[in-house]
Each structure stands twice: as structure tokens, then as C-alpha cells.
Amino acid sequence: LQLKILPIPDLSLVKSDAVLKADAKKILKNLEKITDSTFHLSGHENLKAFEEYAANHNELTKKRLDLIQNHLVVAMHRPERARFWIPLAGFQNQRITGSSNGSLFADSKPGATSGRDEVEATLTSTDQEQYISLSGRLKPNYAEARPDSSITDVRPGDSAAHYGSDLWIIKKSVLEQRSTWTPQDSLGPGTYPKRNQSFDDIFIPWKYRSLMIPFSLSEPYSFRASGRDENFKLENLKRWSNGSRYFEVQIFGPLTIDDVQAFHFQKNPPDKELYDLLKSKNIEVWDERQWPPKPYHGEDPK
């Protein structure tokens, strides 16, 4: 009958990865601008003054400042069953996959794909209807900030372990250009109403990661997000006050295996095919079945 049974999609309407990454950088720049202009509400004139205060507050805050500035990595937790998929399709958020090991629920706004849309609109200082219409590939993947393998006397927490025992460590260049963080899981606190349009109202830009310090002081030998130390000067902070045992990181825009600098496994090592692929891309492989992790050279294939 010469009928067209399947519609032909107009792929010209799909934004390229390059365009989405540029959009992600714009989101981060706007959040940096808000943080720059409101940082004085913290009780410190600017980031430099805050870091000087931390360096001189006590020995633990001085060590935390060094760890956070120089020895922090961001890990995407994924289950082992995703090993086959990530090299093909990269890292996809719950809007693309339709599943999550965290919270996945309906939104109160018509047209929203996830309850996170309202939260992420608030925390990116974006109009909700405008945010809902954005590409799902622009909206963030969630990860965890933790010490790198050179830190032997401070262990990472395990509160994000349920998201997966494979840790894909993201390159620093990606973090600097398209990443933010919060001192706890952002979903609940993100529903609180805005107060003064300050750094307390938004995803905190990666540039300002030193603000993690007062949330990391309750356990000197662990790097966990916990309740804020009241003896450490940080004012006008209500939204991020309690902690949820890990530092959440939000990475905006497309993420692929080419954005990975290292792969850590906490259970089973990669098979030879994956190991060879990782090495071909200059991705370090680490055995994290103990702490600190040790380099893995394919000697114990699955």
C-alpha cells in the first residue's frame, strides 16, 4: 500500500554532546556568579578568606583543606552489570534509563520526568517550567566525592555503596567545568523554599569545594559528610545543615568513558576484554577491595 509505517525522526532537533556540554558550562558559570556575589553571607569575605580561616582554625581543618583541595576525586558508582553498557553508551541518568538505585518518583509538575526536576530547578536557580523542558542528557548524573588513593590515614565513607561497587573516577577537567556538590543527598533539602538566593540555595560549584570542611570534621579518620561543626564559622546555612554521610556531586551534560581517568572495583575485577579497553584509553585500574587501593595489572581476571 506504500504506507509509511514507522515515522522518520528529525535528528536535527537533537542537541549534540558539544552543545549540551556548553550548556552545562553555562549552568556552572551562573552558579559561580551567585556564589561569588553572596559568599560574604557565610561570615567570610570571599573564598580566599575562608580558606585562610580553615588553614589556621586547627590542625584537622588544615589537613582537611589540603585533602579537599589536592586529594579529592569524584566517583560514579555503578553496579557490575553496567560494565558492558558504559563503554557503549556512557553514563545515563535516571531520566534516560528510567531506573535508579536512589529515589525515582512522579513529579507534581505536568510534563516533568522525575521528582528531581523541581529540586534541580530550585538548586540551579532556573524557572521550573524552563528546567522541565531541558534535555534529559543535560540534567546531572550523581556521584560521590572521596579521598584519592594517596590518602592512607583517612578512609572514604560507605554510605553511597548501594549505588554500585564499581567506581568510575571522573577527570578533573570535567569537574572544574560542569560539576557542583552538596554536603548531603540533595533531593530532600532541595524541596526547602529559597531563603536569600545565596550559596545556601543552590548546588555549590566545584570551585567552592573547600566549603566541605565543616561538614567533614566529626570523624578525623573518615571522610564522611555529617552535621556541620558549630565551632567552625559558617553562617546563614540552613538548607545544608544535617548531612547524609557522603558528599554528593552533580555532573551536568553528557558523560562517556572518555571522561574517566580511573576505574576502581570493590568486588570482582574486570574481565580481560574490559581491562584491555580501559588500558587502551589510558584509564588506570585499581583494586579497592581494601584501603588504600592498589594498582591492578590484570593478574586476577574474572
Side-chain angles (χ1 to χ4, degrees):
L1 298 176
Q2 298 184 348
L3 296 177
K4 292 183 177 180
I5 304 300
L6 298 176
I8 300 174
D10 184 358
L11 297 180
S12 66
L13 300 177
V14 178
K15 286 191 174 184
S16 68
D17 282 2
V19 169
L20 292 175
K21 288 178 182 180
D23 290 345
K25 293 175 184 177
K26 290 177 183 177
I27 290 173
L28 187 62
K29 286 297 183 183
N30 182 57
L31 295 176
E32 287 179 350
K33 182 178 179 180
I34 293 171
T35 310
D36 286 338
S37 64
T38 62
F39 197 88
H40 64 280
L41 296 172
S42 70
H44 302 272
E45 182 179 357
N46 51 39
L47 179 60
K48 181 180 179 181
F50 174 86
E51 291 176 345
E52 289 177 353
Y53 171 80
N56 293 288
H57 183 66
N58 60 39
E59 191 61 27
L60 177 57
T61 59
K62 180 180 179 180
K63 289 181 177 179
R64 281 291 191 261
L65 177 63
D66 177 66
L67 188 160
I68 290 167
Q69 286 184 323
N70 304 310
H71 301 285
L72 207 61
V73 296
V74 169
M76 298 280 295
H77 286 259
R78 288 292 186 269
E80 289 186 13
R81 64 178 180 273
R83 288 180 180 180
F84 122 85
W85 188 245
I86 288 171
L88 298 174
F91 301 92
Q92 306 294 340
N93 61 37
Q94 61 175 246
R95 296 168 174 89
I96 306 302
T97 65
S99 64
S100 172
N101 283 341
S103 296
L104 181 70
F105 56 91
D107 206 306
S108 61
K109 291 286 184 179
T113 57
S114 160
R116 294 186 183 272
D117 276 341
E118 290 185 34
V119 168
E120 291 171 2
T122 296
L123 298 179
T124 56
S125 191
T126 307
D127 174 78
Q128 288 192 4
E129 296 300 331
Q130 178 185 352
Y131 191 85
I132 289 170
S133 68
L134 295 176
S135 168
R137 293 160 52 230
L138 172 60
K139 296 172 184 178
N141 277 287
Y142 288 79
E144 175 202 17
R146 62 205 313 271
D148 68 25
S149 57
S150 71
I151 302 298
T152 60
D153 60 340
V154 178
R155 296 181 63 91
D158 57 5
S159 296
H162 62 286
Y163 292 110
S165 59
D166 283 352
L167 280 62
W168 301 79
I169 311 300
I170 305 302
K171 291 179 178 178
K172 290 182 179 180
S173 58
V174 175
L175 304 178
E176 292 167 354
Q177 295 178 353
R178 324 192 246 128
S179 295
T180 57
W181 67 275
T182 53
Q184 62 190 105
D185 187 301
S186 60
L187 187 58
T191 63
Y192 304 163
K194 292 181 179 180
R195 297 174 61 247
N196 51 19
Q197 193 53 40
S198 72
F199 65 95
D200 186 46
D201 279 323
I202 59 174
F203 288 130
I204 306 171
W206 186 248
K207 171 184 174 182
Y208 285 89
R209 61 191 178 277
S210 295
L211 285 166
M212 293 179 184
I213 292 170
F215 297 94
S216 69
L217 301 177
S218 64
E219 300 179 55
Y221 301 105
S222 297
F223 189 73
R224 303 174 188 267
S226 55
R228 179 166 57 91
D229 187 333
E230 297 296 335
N231 295 317
F232 188 98
K233 183 179 179 182
L234 191 61
E235 300 172 2
N236 288 300
L237 205 66
K238 298 297 183 181
R239 187 185 303 272
W240 314 118
S241 59
N242 297 316
S244 58
R245 309 297 287 172
Y246 72 97
F247 290 98
E248 182 184 276
V249 176
Q250 306 84 29
I251 307 173
F252 290 82
L255 274 178
T256 72
I257 195 171
D258 292 326
D259 296 310
V260 173
Q261 73 175 37
F263 171 80
H264 292 213
F265 62 90
Q266 295 178 324
K267 291 185 178 179
N268 296 303
D271 60 23
K272 185 178 185 304
E273 183 178 5
L274 177 58
Y275 175 80
D276 289 345
L277 174 65
L278 295 172
K279 299 306 290 185
S280 73
K281 291 182 173 292
N282 295 314
I283 296 173
E284 301 171 0
V285 182
W286 292 79
D287 181 349
E288 200 181 303
R289 290 177 288 191
Q290 67 288 305
W291 191 264
K294 60 182 181 180
Y296 177 76
H297 301 292
E299 63 273 5
D300 183 24
K302 183 178 176 182

